[in-house]
Amino acid sequence: GAKVSNNVSYCFWLTNPVNLKDKTKPEVLTFTTSDPSPIKAGTVDFTVVFSEDMNIFVEPNARLMGSQIPVPPKTNASLVNGWFNTTMWIGRLVINSTFPGDDKYDFRISDAEDIEGNRMKTFTERDLVIDTVDPAIKKTAVPDIYTNQNLTVSVAAYDPGSSGVSNAVVEIDG
């Protein structure tokens, strides 16, 4: 019969004593939120997609950091999280009356590991605006308008949440 070596192609990795273990740190490919900034009151999902298969038994450390406020651990708001599959992690945050306040927040995620045990570098998504308070609008009485008369309308709005008012819409009926 034929020798075994005649039936097997030479494979460098079979005979090389050097460990070719992957040492590449996983990276975040995409970060999305279910509610685009400015984020309103309600439930918001933070979805992170990684560059490679991750160890789903290692939960990443995820948090929102405001100018004054880390979320969690110093508030009643909790960021519930879990692996959707080996490359996608989803964190869920319920923003309600116990939320610490409207602000610009940074989302940070760290400590996740790939299946080779390589730990990710901390990923930060900056300037997510959370705005749960509706702006206060000052209404002014409009005088009676007759046919062919001009009317000047001005609008002033103030946002107690300090995230700014992006636009004001004036509708005239009639």
Side-chain angles (χ1 to χ4, degrees):
K3 293 181 181 179
V4 173
S5 62
N6 290 340
N7 294 329
V8 177
S9 298
Y10 175 73
C11 294
F12 171 78
W13 59 270
L14 286 174
T15 60
N16 184 8
V18 177
N19 182 359
L20 298 176
K21 180 181 175 189
D22 172 25
K23 298 198 185 305
T24 306
K25 291 181 179 280
E27 297 178 5
V28 172
L29 293 178
T30 60
F31 170 81
T32 56
T33 60
S34 58
D35 184 4
S37 186
I39 297 169
K40 309 284 185 260
T43 301
V44 62
D45 290 337
F46 301 92
T47 302
V48 179
V49 176
F50 289 94
S51 59
E52 54 188 287
D53 288 332
M54 303 298 285
N55 181 346
I56 63 172
F57 298 106
V58 176
E59 282 296 333
N61 179 12
R63 60 179 41 208
L64 286 177
M65 298 294 293
S67 59
Q68 306 281 332
I69 307 161
V71 179
K74 296 183 180 178
T75 67
N76 292 330
S78 64
L79 188 62
V80 179
N81 56 64
W83 290 100
F84 181 76
N85 58 37
T86 58
T87 59
M88 183 184 297
W89 177 91
I90 299 175
R92 177 166 287 165
L93 179 65
V94 177
I95 300 171
N96 56 27
S97 61
T98 64
F99 196 77
D102 292 353
D103 200 352
K104 282 187 179 179
Y105 289 85
D106 293 345
F107 174 84
R108 294 183 189 162
I109 187 168
S110 61
D111 300 336
E113 293 181 3
D114 66 13
I115 57 176
E116 293 289 336
N118 300 310
R119 193 170 289 239
M120 70 177 292
K121 291 190 296 185
T122 299
F123 171 82
T124 303
E125 179 73 19
R126 300 197 183 283
D127 298 332
L128 293 171
V129 175
I130 295 181
D131 184 7
T132 61
V133 180
D134 291 334
I137 299 174
K138 181 180 177 183
K139 296 179 183 178
T140 305
V142 178
D144 289 334
I145 303 297
Y146 301 99
T147 306
N148 297 326
Q149 285 187 308
N150 291 330
L151 172 66
T152 302
V153 177
S154 61
V155 176
Y158 167 72
D159 187 356
S162 301
S163 62
V165 176
S166 62
N167 67 344
V169 176
V170 176
E171 293 182 3
I172 299 175
D173 184 17

